[in-house]
Amino acid sequence: MTDQQQTHQHGHRHGHGHDDAHMDWDVMAPLLELGAEVTSPIVDQAAVWLRERTEAAGLPKVRRLLDIGSGPGVGACQLARAFPEAEVVAVDGTPALLERTQARAAGLGLAERVRTHLADLPDGLATVGDADLIWSSMALHHIGDQESAVAGLGQALRP
């Protein structure tokens, strides 16, 4: 097994870990973006559903939203469009992907509301601050101690 393979709590290995020292992000990032763009209709639908449910429940408007394991920011920008009053914080452990997030947000006119935060998961979760809504798509399985990560995210949610 290579250094990029990760052991997960549920007992099997994946060979898709993000080992920045060995990853060619100029090649990998566009592939991640393409994959996210293919699933973007699902993310749009889920984001609208979430917004409608929070509004129907009479909850305060979402003002701060975390996208955990944001990758190149496709989802973070979609969330910013779905929650137009929210600051969206794209959280990832890969600087090259966060740079792509910033470029995407600027290109879509969302740079004022989409921020990036460099943090390794799950250890860096304590540094992201609190939020009204936390989103994570296709990232949790990269985290070894998933139970602890989810508990930490739960602590970051505002009441």
Side-chain angles (χ1 to χ4, degrees):
M1 303 231 168
T2 67
D3 290 340
Q4 291 182 348
Q5 292 173 315
Q6 296 179 351
T7 301
H8 296 282
Q9 187 175 12
H10 46 81
H12 67 273
R13 293 181 174 275
H14 292 282
H16 57 264
H18 294 263
D19 182 357
D20 283 354
H22 299 97
M23 188 68 66
D24 183 349
W25 289 109
D26 289 334
V27 172
M28 188 62 165
L31 296 174
L32 291 173
E33 286 174 337
L34 180 61
E37 288 166 357
V38 166
T39 61
S40 65
I42 297 166
V43 175
D44 283 336
Q45 184 179 9
V48 168
W49 183 87
L50 283 167
R51 188 187 67 236
E52 289 172 351
R53 294 306 170 275
T54 59
E55 290 170 357
L59 297 172
K61 290 196 181 288
V62 173
R63 300 283 184 202
R64 189 163 194 267
L65 191 155
L66 303 177
D67 181 5
I68 304 297
S70 61
V74 175
C77 290
Q78 289 177 264
L79 294 165
R81 285 193 306 258
F83 293 91
E85 297 173 353
E87 168 194 42
V88 176
V89 182
V91 181
D92 203 278
T94 305
L97 295 178
L98 293 176
E99 288 172 18
R100 291 183 83 95
T101 298
Q102 292 170 331
R104 176 178 287 273
L108 295 171
L110 300 169
E112 293 294 318
R113 293 190 307 107
V114 175
R115 292 189 321 101
T116 59
H117 184 88
L118 181 64
D120 287 325
L121 304 175
D123 299 334
L125 291 176
T127 65
V128 299
D130 60 356
D132 300 307
L133 182 65
I134 298 175
W135 174 273
S136 185
S137 175
M138 301 198 294
L140 193 58
H141 68 278
H142 289 283
I143 298 173
D145 186 354
Q146 296 170 358
E147 187 175 332
S148 176
V150 170
L153 291 172
Q155 291 175 354
L157 278 174
R158 295 175 182 161

